[in-house]
Amino acid sequence: MKKDKKIIRGIDHVGITVPDIEAATEFFEKAFHAQILYDVQPKNQEPMMGSEVENQLGLPEGSKVVHMRLIQIGESITMELFKIENASQDNAASLNDFGLQHLAIYVDDMEETAKLFTAAGGKLLSEPHSLANMENQPGNAGVYGKAPWGTLIELITYPGGLKDKSITRWTPPPQGNIKRSYAQKMVKMTMFLKRNPEISHDEFVKHHIRKHGPLFQKIPEAQRHVIRYIQTHPIEKKTDVLETNSYDGTAELWFDSLDGLETVLTSDFYKNRVFPDEKTFLDHENTLITIGYQDVIIGGDFETIEHTSLDKSEEQSKITAITTLEYSAKNSEKKILEALKQLKSHVLMEEGCLSFSLSQVDNKFIIYETFKSRKDLETHTSRSYAKTFKEKLNTMNISSKVQILNSIN
């Protein structure tokens, strides 16, 4: 077998035998917001039993599997709950026992989760405490507890990472269906990209999407610190409605913190693999990079933008208008924000608008507006409120530059 043949993916699920699956499900729902996926063995069906089942599952003679259910906590591996009858059963394992002996669940709020755990019927063995040795970093904590039937469960959080920054470990991602409590702390890096003049625009786009994007995803530190990564590239059809810039595309990256951004961009993989690749297709000197905290106005952080194939027609693509407003006078900032609030209230009424978000950095406001189609964007820009907004900017001597792009996730 070739060593580079990737046939192993990772742990798919863990199995836990419980005295009552309905009660166990209720505990996991209350303590960790677990969701039922499906029943492998519904309780109203004939039990799984017999010599074949006993051989397949390693069960003692006469055992009956009367109920099996798959549940999931967050965006992580699943748990398979078993209820088995007509067999002798030991108490749940302790740390000193051989074999699998505890389940660890990553949490973002240790205090709140500990309350949910005990309210659901679990029992903590101690107060939450700091982690040890390599894991002993600010903000990191853990605590062991027992489920009502005795299974040992650890609550753990390590936002501070490890002491040795060169080591990474897989961490369950934040739940996509729950608004992240740290959203306002995220740092966004926007890169307005200029291609290496030695390659064509089409070569640039293909390299950016097909090679550089997948290469960036392989950065181990990115798995922990990058919340979102989007590439955009100009549409071919020009418009007289808006003045556009001549960038070859953008890259937008959301990091969990400024430290997270620095960890990714100073990692060995980035310096040795990703950055050298950038030199092959980017003109670094003429590429503009902005870093700042994003002010989300209409779900701009977490809306889903589907992958758009290079071969799809323009009508099937989502259209993003990136408007850059530059100001110098300090009193302009407040006036621009007031105008933006009025603009936002109108854009919310547009059926074709998918998202409207705003970033502010270095005397610039950058507005991101995504629409279902070019027609929806042009309808928006022809509205009286859009013209009024532009007039207000003119009175403040604020110039606006717009680039229209196809959205590629």
Side-chain angles (χ1 to χ4, degrees), residues 99-118:
L100 297 174
Q101 27 80 345
H102 82 281
L103 177 72
I105 296 175
Y106 191 97
V107 304
D108 286 311
D109 190 325
M110 178 64 71
E111 183 179 355
E112 183 62 26
T113 307
K115 291 178 181 178
L116 292 173
F117 185 85
T118 54

Side-chain angles (χ1 to χ4, degrees), residues 195-196 199-207 233-236 247-249:
R195 62 180 169 84
N196 184 328
I199 64 173
S200 68
H201 176 73
D202 287 343
E203 289 172 329
F204 164 84
V205 172
K206 289 179 180 179
H207 187 106
H233 303 96
I235 59 178
E236 294 181 2
Y247 290 104
D248 292 282

Side-chain angles (χ1 to χ4, degrees), residues 135-178:
E135 298 174 348
N136 187 11
Q137 288 282 86
N140 296 0
V143 63
Y144 280 93
K146 287 188 175 182
W149 60 91
T151 294
L152 198 59
I153 298 177
E154 179 185 10
L155 311 183
I156 188 170
T157 187
Y158 43 88
L162 305 175
K163 286 185 177 179
D164 187 342
K165 299 300 182 183
S166 67
I167 300 175
T168 59
R169 59 182 289 182
W170 181 84
T171 303
Q175 293 193 47
N177 60 342
I178 295 178

